[in-house]
Amino acid sequence: MKKKPWLILKKPNFSKKLILHLIWKRCTSPKLVASSCLSRAIITKIVCDICRFPSNLNIGMTKNKNGIKVPHAWVSDPIKGLCITPGLENKGIFIINI
């Protein structure tokens, strides 16, 4: 069984739509220069767990226009299949789902 210590926190009373909108807006902000996709994906996964939203942490790889392999991490909704944070969107190789 996976242990998630943050699940002892009380579920917030905000709507799922509002929380997912704020996550998407924050993760796509150009001001996040020092934030990596992995750190954003981990925090988003924790927020989704606290809010009791189903989510998958995905790790994959793609090639940039120079042919260099670039790793990427994102969070998706397992029910609808939509990306909660920006993902590869069928442009790369899916590696693992946590």
Side-chain angles (χ1 to χ4, degrees), residues 85-96:
T85 60
L88 293 178
E89 299 173 5
N90 299 325
K91 291 186 262 179
I93 301 169
F94 174 74
I95 295 177
I96 191 169

Side-chain angles (χ1 to χ4, degrees), residues 21-78:
H21 171 73
L22 293 174
I23 288 171
W24 182 264
K25 188 170 177 115
R26 180 71 175 145
C27 287
T28 57
S29 172
K31 296 176 185 176
L32 294 175
V33 176
S35 179
S36 70
C37 59
L38 182 60
S39 63
R40 284 181 268 163
I42 290 171
I43 292 299
T44 301
K45 174 69 174 156
I46 291 172
V47 169
C48 288
D49 285 348
I50 290 170
C51 296
R52 313 304 192 265
F53 303 150
S55 62
N56 289 334
L57 176 62
N58 304 296
I59 299 173
M61 187 166 292
T62 187
K63 288 185 179 180
N64 65 10
K65 51 187 163 186
N66 297 330
I68 299 171
K69 292 180 181 177
V70 180
H72 187 60
W74 70 100
V75 178
S76 62
D77 183 343

Side-chain angles (χ1 to χ4, degrees), residues 2-10 46 48-52:
K2 296 180 185 177
K3 293 186 179 184
K4 299 176 182 177
W6 51 87
L7 289 181
I8 63 170
L9 297 173
K10 185 179 176 183
I46 291 172
C48 288
D49 285 348
I50 290 170
C51 296
R52 313 304 192 265

